[in-house]
Amino acid sequence: MKTLSAVPDNAEFDVVIIGAGINGAGLFRELALQGVKTLILDRSDICTGASCAPSRLIHGGIKYLETGEFKLVAQSTLERNLLLRNAPHFVRPLPTVLPIRTWLGGIVTSFRRFLNLGGKMTDRGALVLEVGLQIYDFLGRRARVMPRHSLSLSQKTRREWPHMAKDVVATAQYYDAAITQPERLGYECVQDALETAPNCEAVTYVVPETFQSGQLVLRDVLTDEVKTVKARVLVNAGGAWIDQINTILGNPTKYIGGTKGSHLLLKHDDLFRELKGRMVYFGTPDGRICLAYPFFGHVLVGSTDIRIDDPDKAVCTDEEQDYMLRMLADLFPGFHIGSEQVTYRYSGVRPLPATNAADPSAISRDHIVHEDRLGATPVLSLVGGKWTTFRGLGEEVADRVLALLGYPRSTSTQELAIGGGRGFPDADQHTAYLDRFASSFGLPRPRASVLLDRYGTLARKIAGFCQEAADAPLRTLPSYTRRELMFIAENELVRRLSDVLYRRTTIALSGAMTPAVVLEVANIIGGTLGWDEREAARQAQDAWREGQQRHNLQGEFPLSAETPEILKA
């Protein structure tokens, strides 16, 4: 656990990054690898906000072809291919299926959207999709690691998708990628930086209070400790909160026009089986795009695209849930799809540029870097961007920062593996690697496989830590062990129980979080971080309340912070 007290008062940094979402974390890694003394801070944990609420896709953005954003698609497909190599422990190929309901639909609207004349795509026919996929394959040729697209006609479609709507005349399949644990990948970017550059610092639950004459006053929201640091360059990577942060800094802006995207997790075994590891990516009658694909034994369904003014109020509403379920049921009328199957939901605000566009889905997902000055101090505001292109954005902004500081670039991250992706075995080597890993630490092979899947090659550090003293599976969740969670609490910048349940692990997202699990994990984390029973009880209550308010978890918590004796059970 690292608090603001770890940062010396009046410490001087080349760069201070405000916001540890993926844009900030990626830039922090870039700058640290160039030897730039950098501080990153966040008002919450690493990769909260929109960074923990995406569709969990690493994709080229085929829909951007409709608006002629070829450069963005080319960059996105390149960065997707690089992440498949640099983060193979979390980023994996995802066969993607496009249901087709007509042969010639959408031609006129496609031309109008391409020429920026407006119009909603309510029908993407076979011809339009074939042209788009040909272009997509061509733009994704750099560092290609996956097959080209294919087309299946009616008979094969019926065999593959027996419960799909009968008016689907064909399907097209191409390959994108999915990321299983974006929150951990963001953490690993920060950890890579700290391990590479001991002169860099990362602090969470810290907010800026004022900025004047190169001095930034910071406050720890958990301890109320206040420190002042000096910065030659400020980077505002606050996502949907960029304008609020700039106002605090004394530089009011109106850069952000965010839209809310919500997602659901369904426990639907029949649909899960029919998907067979594939994603369906489909248009809706109102011109939006929806998706569904297998995720930790569930079906991940998304997403909405709704304007929102206050990012702190972003939650998935019942209306959004009903909309997504209705669209999915329209595509799969052969299945019963209902609200009782929803086990988890989440929402985040995309930090898109302010615009008067009537259709939120038409707002560009490309990034913009605004440069302002506060006295002699440059302030860069990172607007837009997405998970797929975070490394490319970090590289671009780092080059701009290096120019401002007069420093040279010393390292490229294009071919540099991230965290547990270093030394991760490819498909041909996987079995032999797993056998060696299990043997080295005396682990049952299934346990070794679980650790490797969760942490990549960082699993070796965790396995070694678990060997150092008596270990045991959790009573409430035997797939985790006590020392596994102790390692995370001790070594992974954890300050709150929610950091572990929602971001360092997939306990919440995979549907495994129950009150009993929360209590047991609170006991373990609390023992590691020095919490007394009352604080552990409070953390447990807060974590469950967060699940109720933001993720639709059901049930009352059987514990008051005033009666924490149950933690001893």
Side-chain angles (χ1 to χ4, degrees):
M1 179 173 66
K2 182 172 285 191
T3 67
L4 187 58
S5 60
V7 179
D9 203 15
N10 293 310
E12 297 183 6
F13 291 94
D14 292 320
V15 182
V16 173
I17 302 171
I18 303 171
I22 190 54
N23 284 347
L27 176 61
F28 183 57
R29 179 173 181 259
E30 283 280 342
L31 292 173
L33 291 168
Q34 316 312 318
V36 179
K37 187 177 181 181
T38 306
L39 167 68
I40 189 171
L41 59 99
D42 198 282
R43 69 171 192 166
S44 187
D45 187 27
I46 297 164
C47 279
T48 52
S51 294
C52 70
S55 296
R56 297 173 184 268
L57 299 178
I58 300 297
H59 63 104
I62 190 171
K63 70 176 182 178
Y64 308 145
L65 293 176
E66 294 174 0
T67 50
E69 296 182 89
F70 294 112
K71 181 181 176 183
L72 177 58
V73 175
Q75 181 194 26
S76 298
T77 52
L78 172 61
E79 293 297 333
R80 176 201 65 193
N81 294 346
L82 293 176
L83 276 170
L84 283 162
R85 296 176 178 180
N86 294 335
H89 55 319
F90 295 149
V91 180
R92 290 153 192 177
L94 179 64
T96 301
V97 173
L98 305 170
I100 303 169
R101 297 180 189 259
T102 66
W103 297 105
L104 300 176
I107 294 175
V108 174
T109 309
S110 292
F111 275 113
R112 287 185 59 84
R113 286 172 65 86
F114 185 79
L115 297 172
N116 292 317
L117 297 177
K120 287 190 176 183
M121 285 291 291
T122 59
D123 180 16
R124 294 166 176 84
L127 181 60
V128 168
L129 286 174
E130 177 63 21
V131 171
L133 288 167
Q134 291 284 358
I135 297 171
Y136 193 67
D137 282 343
F138 176 76
L139 293 174
R141 67 193 184 281
R142 294 172 63 195
R144 182 186 298 281
V145 292
M146 294 183 294
R148 293 174 175 271
H149 80 278
S150 61
L151 188 68
S152 297
L153 300 182
S154 179
Q155 191 173 9
K156 184 175 181 181
T157 294
R158 293 273 71 80
R159 288 198 305 268
E160 285 291 311
W161 302 96
H163 294 87
M164 192 174 277
K166 301 302 181 186
D167 64 345
V168 173
V169 299
T171 51
Q173 179 171 296
Y174 69 100
Y175 281 78
D176 259 330
I179 178 169
T180 54
Q181 299 185 66
E183 304 88 346
R184 273 204 67 87
L185 192 64
Y187 159 74
E188 289 181 6
C189 285
V190 171
Q191 193 59 44
D192 278 0
L194 295 175
E195 290 178 356
T196 301
N199 62 342
C200 292
E201 294 284 356
V203 288
T204 55
Y205 298 95
V206 170
V207 296
E209 296 273 84
T210 61
F211 180 75
Q212 193 169 10
S213 302
Q215 293 189 314
L216 183 66
V217 177
L218 305 175
R219 180 175 61 86
D220 189 310
V221 299
L222 300 185
T223 65
D224 268 339
E225 183 178 13
V226 174
K227 287 282 182 76
T228 298
V229 298
K230 298 176 181 178
R232 294 176 61 189
V233 177
L234 285 177
V235 177
N236 183 348
W241 294 268
I242 278 175
D243 291 330
Q244 296 178 24
I245 293 169
N246 279 337
T247 299
I248 291 170
L249 297 177
N251 176 43
T253 57
K254 292 185 178 179
Y255 292 148
I256 295 294
T259 69
K260 179 176 66 163
S262 295
H263 298 78
L264 312 172
L265 277 174
L266 262 63
K267 186 61 178 173
H268 196 303
D269 294 340
D270 292 335
L271 177 57
F272 182 90
R273 283 190 291 269
E274 187 154 321
L275 288 168
K276 296 178 184 175
R278 299 166 293 186
M279 176 172 75
V280 288
Y281 188 67
F282 58 101
T284 65
D286 60 1
R288 303 189 209 182
I289 296 287
C290 286
L291 58 88
Y293 68 92
F295 188 79
F296 287 110
H298 293 71
V299 177
L300 178 63
V301 181
S303 70
T304 56
D305 204 2
I306 302 170
R307 289 187 181 275
I308 186 170
D309 294 324
D310 186 351
D312 289 312
K313 295 181 179 178
V315 295
C316 178
T317 64
D318 291 341
E319 291 76 16
E320 289 176 282
Q321 174 176 299
D322 291 344
Y323 169 81
M324 287 183 277
L325 294 177
R326 192 168 63 251
M327 294 303 102
L328 189 62
D330 179 64
L331 181 63
F332 289 101
F335 289 128
H336 166 71
I337 296 173
S339 59
E340 73 280 1
Q341 296 162 327
V342 177
T343 63
Y344 192 85
R345 63 192 196 188
Y346 63 85
S347 187
V349 178
R350 306 173 183 95
L352 303 180
T355 176
N356 293 321
D359 179 8
S361 65
I363 303 172
S364 175
R365 267 48 175 178
D366 206 350
H367 60 266
I368 302 169
V369 181
H370 295 279
E371 183 173 340
D372 300 298
R373 291 266 169 171
L374 286 172
T377 306
V379 181
L380 304 182
S381 297
L382 312 188
V383 176
K386 56 198 184 87
W387 257 101
T388 305
T389 55
F390 81 85
R391 191 214 63 86
L393 172 60
E395 181 179 64
E396 176 188 324
V397 178
D399 285 342
R400 196 156 163 178
V401 170
L402 290 170
L404 289 169
L405 295 172
Y407 295 166
R409 172 174 281 276
S410 59
T411 302
S412 170
T413 57
Q414 193 166 95
E415 305 291 339
L416 197 61
I418 301 171
R422 287 191 294 272
F424 193 80
D426 60 25
D428 294 336
Q429 302 167 332
H430 195 275
T431 298
Y433 183 97
L434 189 59
D435 288 340
R436 290 196 302 272
F437 174 41
S439 176
S440 296
F441 293 95
L443 295 171
R445 201 171 185 280
R447 171 66 176 162
S449 180
V450 165
L451 290 177
L452 189 63
D453 193 54
R454 280 180 187 159
Y455 310 108
T457 54
L458 295 178
R460 300 185 68 87
K461 286 185 178 180
I462 295 173
F465 182 86
C466 291
Q467 272 191 327
E468 292 173 5
D471 196 11
L474 271 62
R475 300 188 313 277
T476 58
L477 192 60
S479 64
Y480 284 86
T481 72
R482 294 181 60 84
R483 286 192 62 81
E484 178 183 353
L485 295 178
M486 289 169 63
F487 178 93
I488 291 171
E490 189 173 307
N491 296 282
E492 296 193 349
L493 303 177
V494 169
R495 297 194 65 189
R496 296 179 66 234
L497 178 62
S498 291
D499 301 343
V500 176
L501 294 171
Y502 292 101
R503 288 172 290 278
R504 300 298 184 277
T505 72
T506 60
I507 289 173
L509 190 64
S510 65
M513 190 163 134
T514 65
V517 168
V518 173
L519 289 169
E520 186 172 9
V521 175
N523 192 23
I524 296 165
I525 302 302
T528 303
L529 298 184
W531 299 339
D532 61 22
E533 290 178 358
R534 193 173 302 281
E535 176 62 15
R538 187 183 69 80
Q539 292 275 347
Q541 274 195 313
D542 287 349
W544 187 257
R545 188 179 301 115
E546 180 179 342
Q548 288 180 310
Q549 294 173 350
R550 300 190 59 82
H551 305 297
N552 202 38
L553 294 186
Q554 301 297 313
E556 293 303 314
F557 200 69
L559 172 66
S560 164
E562 301 302 316
T563 56
E565 291 80 8
I566 194 171
L567 287 168
K568 300 175 182 178

